[in-house]
Amino acid sequence: MARSALVLGASGRFGCNAAQAFRHAGWDVTEFDRRSDSLSQAARGVDVIVNGWNPPYPDWARDVPVLTKRVIDAASDTGATVIVPGNVYVFGEDTPGPWSGGTPHQATNPLGRIRIDMEEAYRASTVRTILLRAGDFIDTNASGNWFDQVMIKRLSRGRFVYPGDPEAPHAWAFLPDLARAAVALAEIREDLPRYCDVPFEGYTLTGTQIAQSLSHVTGRTVAVRRMKWWPLQLARPFWRMAPHLIEMRYLWHVPHQLDGGYVKELLGSFPKTNLEDALRSAIPPQRAASSPTTGNRGEVLG
């Protein structure tokens, strides 16, 4: 029997990987085009709606509630299951871990509160919802995330630039693994609770551990360098993203990890990609190669 998925935000990080994973698993996949498609029409007859929509931080307060309502309304009309990629923003910096589906959502900062309200909207609806929660992404393509935009930008010079405490454990997810987990959960959706909060453990790593693994992958010594935050502070009045990046800075200092017990209960021994293989696929060849080190005064990266 044919299974169908409508992917919203298929050009984005999670959406792109989800579309590939569902196709690979034999699903019929439709990629929604916000410029020309009607969500209510596109959702007719589909089994799963993958909500990969993720506006830029400065637009969250305006756009996230509206987009969430549109998805809930479409799924309510069609009976589709919604898969939502969750994050760790809802917990806040003072909530002890490991963070699980039962951990209180105690964030008080603006971005954290927006995500709390978004999740509560799904929880309060009648829509069958799978919230697949993950930490920061490691992607196979440069997608503008922390890893490719900041951390490995100076990798060819033997530097791994870290935004916080390099000894603080941090939650990570390899996007192809996360997308495969989304497919596996979609295939058992009828057996899950109506609202199902599933933390995806992925990797729990310090910056130092990532640098050590990158040393193995590249065959050269990779040293951790701390990112300078003062340029972002100076940019706050002029760059809309800067205040929001600073708002979430605590995640790079607060040790945290996601509890993987529930996903193991649901999916059994889910095969996770070896860390070094994941890192290898995330590094463009030009960044893995050696190049002469040159100074650049005043840049954000150390």
Side-chain angles (χ1 to χ4, degrees):
M1 183 176 180
R3 300 162 298 177
S4 57
L6 174 66
V7 180
L8 315 180
S11 61
R13 301 164 194 161
F14 180 79
C16 176
N17 281 273
Q20 293 175 5
F22 273 94
R23 284 196 180 98
H24 184 75
W27 287 59
D28 293 331
V29 174
T30 300
E31 298 183 6
F32 184 78
D33 187 341
R34 289 178 63 183
R35 297 167 299 181
S36 59
D37 293 345
S38 162
L39 182 56
S40 59
Q41 292 179 356
R44 290 176 185 170
V46 302
D47 299 301
V48 169
I49 299 172
V50 179
N51 185 6
W53 278 341
N54 189 27
Y57 281 164
D59 300 330
W60 273 23
R62 182 193 67 200
D63 291 351
V64 169
V66 175
L67 295 175
T68 299
K69 185 178 186 304
R70 289 181 61 193
V71 175
I72 289 174
D73 288 348
S76 297
D77 290 342
T78 63
T81 296
V82 179
I83 297 179
V84 182
N87 60 28
V88 299
Y89 295 11
V90 297
F91 301 117
E93 59 183 306
D94 298 320
T95 303
W99 295 333
S100 70
T103 301
H105 295 177
Q106 300 184 130
T108 58
N109 60 300
L111 292 181
R113 294 304 311 175
I114 291 168
R115 295 296 296 205
I116 289 173
D117 291 344
M118 184 200 78
E119 293 185 16
E120 285 305 311
Y122 283 106
R123 191 188 299 271
S125 75
T126 59
V127 170
R128 183 174 292 279
T129 304
I130 300 170
L131 190 131
L132 183 57
R133 192 182 306 283
D136 273 291
F137 293 156
I138 299 173
D139 202 350
T140 55
N141 297 296
S143 56
N145 58 32
W146 274 103
F147 187 81
D148 65 65
Q149 284 289 94
V150 174
M151 298 184 184
I152 63 170
K153 195 170 182 179
R154 301 290 182 264
L155 189 61
S156 63
R157 303 179 187 178
R159 302 180 195 170
F160 179 65
V161 181
Y162 203 69
D165 180 0
E167 302 306 324
H170 189 91
W172 291 91
F174 184 48
L175 268 173
D177 286 353
L178 188 67
R180 285 191 300 106
V183 174
L185 291 168
E187 292 177 343
I188 61 170
R189 62 193 180 280
E190 299 295 337
D191 300 323
L192 300 177
R194 201 276 308 164
Y195 181 85
C196 192
D197 185 335
V198 185
F200 184 78
E201 183 178 17
Y203 314 109
T204 302
L205 301 164
T206 67
T208 298
Q209 288 173 323
I210 298 176
Q212 291 170 346
S213 294
L214 287 171
S215 295
H216 295 152
V217 168
T218 62
R220 58 173 297 168
T221 300
V222 175
V224 179
R225 296 289 184 267
R226 296 285 290 266
M227 190 187 95
K228 298 179 177 70
W229 282 84
W230 62 263
L232 285 179
Q233 297 284 1
L234 293 177
R236 290 182 69 140
F238 315 106
W239 185 34
R240 295 174 68 223
M241 281 289 289
H244 303 287
L245 295 173
I246 293 168
E247 174 188 338
M248 301 311 303
R249 180 178 178 178
Y250 75 86
L251 283 171
W252 300 106
H253 297 278
V254 174
H256 64 273
Q257 69 179 100
L258 286 167
D259 185 338
Y262 192 35
V263 76
K264 291 176 183 176
E265 177 184 331
L266 295 175
L267 301 181
S269 55
F270 182 80
K272 183 170 65 176
T273 301
N274 174 274
L275 174 61
E276 291 188 8
D277 289 338
L279 293 175
R280 188 175 292 108
S281 70
I283 302 171
Q286 65 271 23
R287 290 190 179 174
S290 299
S291 65
T293 301
T294 58
N296 185 5
R297 291 182 178 269
E299 62 186 11
V300 175
L301 308 181

